Amino acid sequence: MCQQPSIPLISEKIVFYGAGSMAEAIVRGMIARSVVASDHVVVLNRSSNERLAELRARYGVLASNDPEQKTEYLRTSPVIVLAMKPKDAAEALRTLGPLLTPEQLVISVIAGLTIRTIQGLLGRQQPVVRTMPNTSSSIGLGATGISFSKEVDENGRRLALNMFEAVGLTSVIDEERMETLTGISGSGPAYIYYMMEAMIAAGIRGGLSAEQSGELTVQTVLGAARMVQQTGELPATLRKKVTSPNGSTQAALEVLDKGDFFETVIAAVNRCAERSREMGTALEKELIK
C-alpha cells in the first residue's frame, strides 16, 4: 500500500528576512518535519549569493538578494520572519514598513528587539510576534519563548505556535520576561557546549583519545538531560542520588563549589539577559533618529 505524502501544516508563504544560523535552524527544522513545503519558504539577504546558493541546495527553498524580487516578496508574503543581525534591523525595518499591509504577520527572532521598537521602526501598529528560539530547533529540540502584540489575532497566534512547536518546545510568556528566557534557553546551548569542551579536554589530558572523550561526554550530557525529562525528578534530587558522601563525585562537586560554579552560572545567565536589554536599548535609540 502506498504511503500518502504528508500535508504541510502551514500553507502560507514564509519569508525569512535574513539568512543567518538562526534562520537556517528554523527552516531546516520546519522542512524536515514537513511543517511547510520548501517552495513556500523564501530566504532573503543583502548581498551573499554564495550563502543563498547554499540554502537553495540544502533545502530547496527560494532565495534572493535581488532588490526588486525582495520588495515583491516582502510586499506579498503573509508571514515575514525578521532574522537579520541586530545592527541591520533599524534600516531594514524602516524600509519594510511602507511595504506592509495590516494583514501581514511579522515574527522576530532578533535578541533584544522589543515589540514596541519593531512597531516604531516599521512606523505602524503591525501584528508582531516576538520570539527567542535556539539553534537546537534545527533538530526538532528547540526551546522558544513567544510573546504577541495585541494586534495578533487567533490565526496569527496559531500559525506562530505551529512554526515553533514543530521544532521543539514553546513557552508563551509576558514580553518583559523575554530577556531572562534569552539568558536561559536562547543562549543556554552555548553554556552546555562550553562545559562539554572542558570535559572532553579533561578526558584527553587524562589519557583518553579525543574520540573516546567526546563520545563519553556527549552520551553523559544526553543521558543526564533524558533522566530529568523522563523521571520528572528535579536536577538537585538526581544529583544527590549519584553523590555518595566522601566519594569521587562529592570530591568533584567540591572543586566546582570552590570556583563558585552555581553562582557563576547564575551570573552568566543574568549577564546574558542584561546584554540583551542593552542591545534592545541601542535599537530603541534608532526610533528618535
Side-chain angles (χ1 to χ4, degrees), residues 17 74 84 88-97 122:
Y17 199 2
L74 294 170
M84 70 284 292
D88 299 325
E91 179 184 350
L93 293 183
R94 286 199 179 101
T95 302
L96 175 63
L122 290 172

Side-chain angles (χ1 to χ4, degrees), residues 89-152:
E91 179 184 350
L93 293 183
R94 286 199 179 101
T95 302
L96 175 63
L99 304 177
L100 298 176
T101 61
E103 294 76 27
Q104 289 173 280
L105 183 67
V106 174
I107 301 175
S108 172
V109 300
I110 304 173
L113 191 62
T114 66
I115 290 171
R116 172 183 171 275
T117 301
I118 292 169
Q119 292 180 331
L121 290 168
L122 290 172
R124 56 192 302 147
Q125 297 300 298
Q126 197 72 19
V128 173
V129 182
R130 181 182 176 190
T131 75
M132 178 43 59
N134 60 29
T135 54
S136 301
S137 298
S138 66
I139 58 168
L141 293 173
T144 303
I146 301 182
S147 300
F148 303 97
S149 77
K150 59 183 176 59
E151 294 80 12
V152 180

Side-chain angles (χ1 to χ4, degrees), residues 2-24:
C2 293
Q3 185 175 1
Q4 294 296 318
S6 59
I7 299 173
L9 189 62
I10 297 173
S11 59
E12 290 86 348
K13 182 158 284 186
I14 302 173
V15 168
F16 284 80
Y17 199 2
S21 59
M22 186 58 70
E24 182 176 4

Side-chain angles (χ1 to χ4, degrees), residues 35 213 251 258 267:
V35 177
S213 190
K258 285 180 183 177

